[in-house]
Amino acid sequence: MSLAERKLFVERWIRSPLKVASVTPSGPELCRAMARAAGCGPGRRVVELGPGTGPVTAALRAQGTSPEDLLMIELDPAFADHLRLLHPGATLVRGDATRIQRIVHDHGWDGCEAVVSGLPLITMPLSVQARVVRGAFSVLAPDGVFVQFTYGPFAPVNPELIRRLRLKPRRHSWIARNLPPASVWTFHRLP
């Protein structure tokens, strides 16, 4: 991560700490774990929610996700401008992740194999969290995966929402060398 990207991240965090939720971007090990959990590879479509300065995006690309198979949804205008320069072939939408279903369909996608989230879901009101997670599963293929990281010890999706949506949570990995340490969780639909 460049000094300019770190500076941009800290500036955006100072401006809106609850939306950015961390004072530092995700570390490289966490980003690689997110990409592995998503099962990235050629021909697999991925929607990324809240990519920020793009460290997870870079890991998705390094794992084989092509630009045309990547749709990023970023609310912050400064982050969106930065991402547009870094990933010119990918689709970038400056918008709200609660509108994922409309955004995906408006861009001509029938769906995707993975939704990877860098959003601070755990800090969101349940109603907002529900709109994001429901929306993600509305665009995922039946065997698709929702990937989310957290700094806490528990699943980053509300247990009531997990029950209501019939999801199967699994801690995919724990990254002790991230600052702060983080866990990557995957969520699949129960059959």
Side-chain angles (χ1 to χ4, degrees):
M1 170 136 323
S2 73
L3 185 58
E5 287 173 325
R6 287 189 191 281
K7 182 178 181 271
L8 173 62
F9 195 92
V10 171
E11 285 172 357
R12 303 318 287 173
W13 177 78
I14 289 169
R15 173 170 262 182
S16 191
L18 291 179
K19 287 183 181 172
V20 176
S22 177
V23 72
T24 183
S26 301
E29 287 185 39
L30 174 57
C31 297
R32 285 191 295 271
M34 295 281 285
R36 282 192 305 273
C40 291
R44 285 182 55 89
R45 286 188 157 175
V46 178
V47 174
E48 185 179 7
L49 306 177
T53 57
V56 173
T57 313
L60 295 170
R61 299 283 310 280
Q63 287 282 335
T65 301
S66 64
E68 56 275 0
D69 288 331
L70 179 61
L71 190 156
M72 299 174 284
I73 302 173
E74 175 56 59
L75 187 59
D76 186 282
F79 285 156
D81 290 345
H82 175 76
L83 291 163
R84 197 169 275 113
L85 293 173
L86 284 179
H87 304 284
T91 301
L92 173 72
V93 175
R94 188 173 155 239
D96 189 329
T98 61
R99 299 177 48 85
I100 181 175
Q101 185 176 27
R102 175 169 294 258
I103 291 168
V104 167
H105 292 296
D106 284 353
H107 284 83
W109 283 25
D110 292 330
C112 62
E113 284 72 38
V115 174
V116 177
S117 172
L119 299 173
L121 277 185
I122 205 112
T123 66
M124 295 177 177
L126 180 57
S127 62
V128 176
Q129 188 182 123
R131 287 172 52 206
V132 171
V133 177
R134 245 190 223 107
F137 278 93
S138 75
V139 300
L140 277 168
D143 61 344
V145 62
F146 178 75
V147 182
Q148 176 72 50
F149 75 90
T150 185
Y151 301 122
F154 305 108
V157 173
N158 184 288
E160 176 60 21
L161 188 56
I162 290 171
R163 187 190 63 72
R164 267 192 274 158
L165 296 179
R166 297 184 34 79
L167 303 179
K168 180 182 178 189
R170 182 176 82 84
R171 186 188 316 257
H172 178 272
S173 50
W174 184 67
I175 298 82
R177 291 177 44 175
N178 193 69
L179 183 63
S183 293
V184 174
W185 286 76
T186 58
F187 298 84
H188 291 88
R189 285 186 190 99
L190 287 170

